[in-house]
C-alpha cells in the first residue's frame, strides 16, 4: 500500500450497526463496498423474518443494483407489470400506473415485489462475501456510551467499540430511545392483517404479476406476488380500535379476518381463506423526528422515520438511508460527526415528506364515498387521475442515491 493509500485507509472509520434488518444490512453492504469496515449486531439468532412481502420501487432497486445485488434479487422476486385499483364491492378495476418495462424506461430500474426472507438472504450473503464475520447474530444491543470521538455499543453480554454507531434497530429502537427519550406513538384506529399464501390456492385469474390495491369504506387490501410467483402477499387494513399491539409476530384467526371483510368481493375472500397464519399489526403514527444524530451516533430506517405503510416506502427509505450514510462516511470519513450531520440533512426532509404522504393516503384509501358504486367511480376518477398519481409518486421513484448531494 502507498503512503497516501495508507493515510486514507487510516482515516476511515470503523462503523458499528445496531440491527440487521433491511436498512442495517444495506448500510453494512454499502459501507463495505466503499471500503469502510463495519460490524452488525442483530438480536435475532437467524436472519429470518416472519413471512411477508415488500414492494421495492425504482428508487430502492436503483440502490440495490448499485450495490451489485439487483440481479440475484430479481431471480428470486417478481417484477410487477403494473399496479391497479379495485373496488371493494364489485371488483371493478382501474389502472394505477404501468410498471415492468415502463418502470425501466421511466426510471432506469425495475419495480420488484419481494419476499422479505429473500431480500435479507441476498443482502446478508453479499455482506458476508465482503467480510465473512461482519454479522453478529443473537446479540441484543442494550445501549451505548460516547467518549473522545469513540462510541461503545453495549450488548446483553459484552460490548464493542468503534468510531460511529448507526441505530438501525427498527420502530422500537433502543438507540433512538437513548438519544431522544421514549417516543409518543399515536394509535391511528387502524389495524393491518398480514399474510402470505400459496399462489396455487387462488383462482387462475388472480395469479398475475401486478400489485393490486382494493379500496373501500373503512378498509383496504394490498396484494402482490412474491418469490418467483409462488406466493401471494396479503395486507389488509381495517378501521378497528380494539387491537393496539405493534408487532411482527402477533397472530389472529381466519374467522376474525373473514369478519373484518364481510361484504367484500369474492377475490378478497379467496385470499383470506388460503392464508395459513394471519398476523395482526396495530398501525401507530409518529411525527418525524427533528434530529437523528448526536455526536458519532445516528439512526436510519424505521428507527428515525417509522411510517404508515400506505406509500409502500418504509423499507425503500431504509435502503436509501443505508446507501447515503455510507456515501457520507466515505466522503467525510475523517470527520465522523460532520459525515453523520451531512447524511441527516440529506435525508430528513425527504423522509418526513414520505411519512406525511403515507398518512394522507389513509383517508384516500378508506373514503366513505367508496361505499356506493356511482359515487365511487367519480371519486376514483378524481383521486387517481394520472396527474395526481404522478404528483404522489414521481418524486419518490426518481430519487438517485448514487448522485444526490450530501
Ligand atoms: C404491513 C406492512 C407493510 C409494509 N409494506 C412495505 C412495502 O411494501 N414497501 C416498503 O418499502 N416498506 C413497507 N413496509 C415498511 C417496512 O417494513 C419497514 O419500513 C422496514 O422494515 C424498515 O426497515 P428497518 O431496517 O429500518 O427496520 P426493521 O426491518 O424493523 O429491522 C430492524 C432490525 O433490528 C433488529 N433489532 C431491534 N432491536 C434490536 C436490538 N436491541 N439489538 C439488536 N438488534 C435489534 C430487529 O430484530 C430487526 O432485524 C411495511 C410495513 C408494514 C407494517
Amino acid at each position: 500500500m502507498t503512503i497516501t493509500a495508507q493515510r486514507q485507509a487510516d482515516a476511515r472509520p470503523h462503523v458499528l450497526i445496531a440491527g440487521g434488518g433491511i436498512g442495517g444490512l444495506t448500510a453494512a453492504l454499502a459501507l463495505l463496498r466503499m471500503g469502510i469496515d463495519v460490524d452488525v449486531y442483530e438480536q435475532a439468532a437467524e436472519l429470518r423474518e416472519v413471512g411477508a412481502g415488500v414492494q421495492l420501487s425504482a428508487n430502492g432497486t436503483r440502490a440495490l443494483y448499485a450495490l451489485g445485488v439487483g440481479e440475484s434479487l430479481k431471480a428470486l422476486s417478481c417484477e410487477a407489470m403494473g399496479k391497479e385499483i379495485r373496488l371493494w364491492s364489485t371488483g371493478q378495476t382501474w389502472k394505477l400506473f404501468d410498471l415492468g418495462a415502463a418502470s425501466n424506461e421511466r426510471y432506469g430500474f425495475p419495480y420488484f415485489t419481494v419476499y422479505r426472507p429473500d431480500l435479507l438472504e441476498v443482502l446478508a450473503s453479499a455482506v458476508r462475501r465482503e467480510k465473512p464475520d461482519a454479522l453478529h447474530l443473537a446479540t441484543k444491543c442494550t445501549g451505548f456510551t460516547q467518549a473522545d470521538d469513540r462510541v461503545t455499543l453495549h450488548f446483553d453480554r459484552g460490548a464493542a467499540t468503534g468510531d460511529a454507531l448507526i441505530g438501525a434497530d427498527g420502530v422500537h429502537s433502543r438507540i433512538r430511545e437513548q438519544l431522544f427519550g421514549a417516543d409518543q406513538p399515536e394509535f391511528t384506529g387502524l389495524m393491518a392483517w398480514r399474510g402470505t399464501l400459496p399462489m396455487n390456492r387462488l383462482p387462475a385469474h388472480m395469479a398475475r404479476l401486478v400489485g393490486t390495491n382494493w379500496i373501500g369504506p373503512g378498509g383496504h387490501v394490498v396484494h402482490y406476488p412474491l418469490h418467483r410467483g409462488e406466493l401471494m402477499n396479503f395486507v389488509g387494513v381495517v378501521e378497528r380500535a380494539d387491537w393496539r399491539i405493534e408487532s411482527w409476530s402477533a397472530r389472529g384467526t381466519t374467522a376474525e379476518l373473514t369478519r373484518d371483510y364481510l361484504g367484500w368481493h369474492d377475490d378478497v375472500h379467496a385470499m383470506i381463506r388460503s392464508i395459513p397464519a394471519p398476523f395482526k399489526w396495530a398501525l401507530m403514527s409518529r411525527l418525524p423526528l427533528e434530529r437523528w444524530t448526536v455526536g458519532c451516533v445516528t439512526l436510519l430506517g424505521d428507527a428515525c422515520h417509522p411510517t404508515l405503510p400506505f406509500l409502500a416506502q418504509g423499507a425503500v427509505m431504509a435502503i436509501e438511508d443505508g446507501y447515503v450514510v455510507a456515501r457520507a462516511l466515505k466522503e467525510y470519513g475523517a470527520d465522523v460527526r460532520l459525515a453523520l450531520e451531512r447524511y441527516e440533512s440529506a435525508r430528513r426532509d425527504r423522509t418526513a415528506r414520505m411519512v406525511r404522504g403515507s398518512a394522507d393516503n389513509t383517508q384516500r384509501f378508506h373514503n366513505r364515498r367508496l361505499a356506493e358504486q356511482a359515487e365511487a367511480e367519480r371519486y376514483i376518477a378524481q383521486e387517481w387521475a394520472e396527474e395526481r398519481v404522478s404528483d404522489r409518486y414521481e418524486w419518490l421513484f426518481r430519487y438517485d442515491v448514487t448522485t444526490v448531494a450530501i
Side-chain angles (χ1 to χ4, degrees):
M1 196 184 273
T2 65
I3 291 174
T4 315
Q6 180 66 51
R7 278 217 186 100
Q8 279 170 349
D10 290 346
R12 285 185 186 162
H14 173 217
V15 180
L16 312 176
I17 299 182
I22 294 169
L25 290 176
T26 304
L29 180 57
L31 286 161
L32 290 166
R33 283 286 173 111
M34 294 180 202
I36 297 172
D37 191 19
V38 69
D39 283 280
V40 180
Y41 301 92
E42 164 60 43
Q43 65 184 1
E46 295 178 71
L47 287 175
R48 190 172 55 87
E49 284 220 8
V50 182
V54 70
Q55 308 181 63
L56 298 181
S57 49
N59 44 320
T61 57
R62 179 179 288 116
L64 296 173
Y65 271 92
L67 293 172
V69 293
E71 285 302 313
S72 18
L73 191 60
K74 181 178 179 172
L76 295 168
S77 308
C78 292
E79 190 169 348
M81 294 298 122
K83 288 195 104 179
E84 56 191 29
I85 296 284
R86 296 191 72 185
L87 189 59
W88 68 289
S89 47
T90 61
Q92 189 176 341
T93 306
W94 291 261
K95 185 174 83 174
L96 178 51
F97 42 68
D98 286 320
L99 293 166
S103 178
N104 283 295
E105 275 157 29
R106 257 179 113 81
Y107 314 112
F109 290 88
Y111 193 105
F112 290 156
T113 55
V114 184
Y115 191 41
R116 281 170 188 258
D118 291 341
L119 176 58
L120 290 179
E121 176 54 33
V122 163
L123 288 170
S125 304
V127 167
R128 287 188 174 118
R129 274 196 300 278
E130 298 287 331
K131 180 178 175 188
D133 57 351
L135 304 182
H136 308 266
L137 301 181
T139 307
K140 190 177 172 76
C141 306
T142 52
F144 65 86
T145 41
Q146 294 199 68
D148 304 327
D149 286 339
R150 299 279 283 166
V151 54
T152 300
L153 181 58
H154 301 278
F155 313 123
D156 39 6
R157 280 183 302 273
T161 297
D163 303 299
L165 167 64
I166 302 173
D169 49 346
V171 65
H172 302 297
S173 171
R174 179 73 202 90
I175 306 299
R176 178 191 60 214
E177 194 181 331
Q178 187 177 335
L179 286 173
F180 304 115
D183 69 343
Q184 308 286 334
E186 197 178 311
F187 179 55
T188 55
L190 301 170
M191 196 206 86
W193 284 101
R194 300 169 34 247
T196 46
L197 52 137
M199 191 67 87
N200 61 15
R201 299 273 294 274
L202 291 175
H205 72 268
M206 295 188 73
R208 297 164 55 229
L209 287 177
V210 293
T212 305
N213 287 8
W214 291 83
I215 51 175
H220 76 276
V221 170
V222 175
H223 63 91
Y224 45 84
L226 304 173
H227 200 59
R228 305 184 203 92
E230 291 163 28
L231 297 172
M232 179 74 94
N233 190 61
F234 175 98
V235 178
V237 176
V238 286
E239 292 170 9
R240 253 183 71 167
D242 63 334
W243 182 258
R244 306 216 171 182
I245 301 172
E246 196 179 30
S247 151
W248 285 115
S249 54
R251 293 261 185 125
T253 65
T254 305
E256 196 187 351
L257 172 53
T258 306
R259 261 197 317 278
D260 279 348
Y261 284 94
L262 277 181
W264 284 59
H265 192 269
D266 277 353
D267 284 354
V268 171
H269 284 280
M271 289 184 283
I272 290 174
R273 278 193 298 277
S274 303
I275 298 173
F279 290 92
K280 296 158 84 166
W281 173 291
L283 292 171
M284 308 298 225
S285 78
R286 295 167 171 87
L287 291 174
L289 287 184
E290 279 168 23
R291 292 173 65 200
W292 303 354
T293 307
V294 176
C296 303
V297 182
T298 195
L299 301 168
L300 66 65
D302 277 10
C304 50
H305 44 73
T307 177
L308 295 174
F310 305 150
L311 274 176
Q313 286 288 318
V316 175
M317 290 287 151
I319 290 171
E320 290 184 358
D321 288 346
Y323 198 100
V324 174
V325 75
R327 273 188 57 210
L329 282 161
K330 182 181 176 201
E331 197 151 326
Y332 305 100
D335 187 343
V336 167
R337 288 161 189 268
L338 175 65
L340 299 184
E341 271 162 29
R342 298 304 284 254
Y343 150 70
E344 178 185 318
S345 47
R347 298 291 303 154
R348 210 179 33 225
D349 290 353
R350 173 171 171 82
T351 51
R353 184 177 172 194
M354 178 279 296
V355 171
R356 285 193 298 271
S358 266
D360 290 347
N361 262 350
T362 316
Q363 187 49 21
R364 190 168 288 120
F365 286 170
H366 289 204
N367 205 284
R368 299 285 147 200
R369 288 174 64 189
L370 293 161
E372 189 271 319
Q373 172 84 20
E375 184 58 17
E377 285 184 26
R378 280 192 288 278
Y379 176 71
I380 289 170
Q382 167 199 315
E383 287 298 317
W384 279 273
E386 202 173 329
E387 206 173 281
R388 298 191 77 162
V389 170
S390 133
D391 282 350
R392 294 203 287 273
Y393 292 96
E394 275 302 283
W395 70 276
L396 287 165
F397 295 178
R398 288 204 179 277
Y399 185 84
D400 187 345
V401 284
T402 65
T403 57
V404 68
I406 45 176

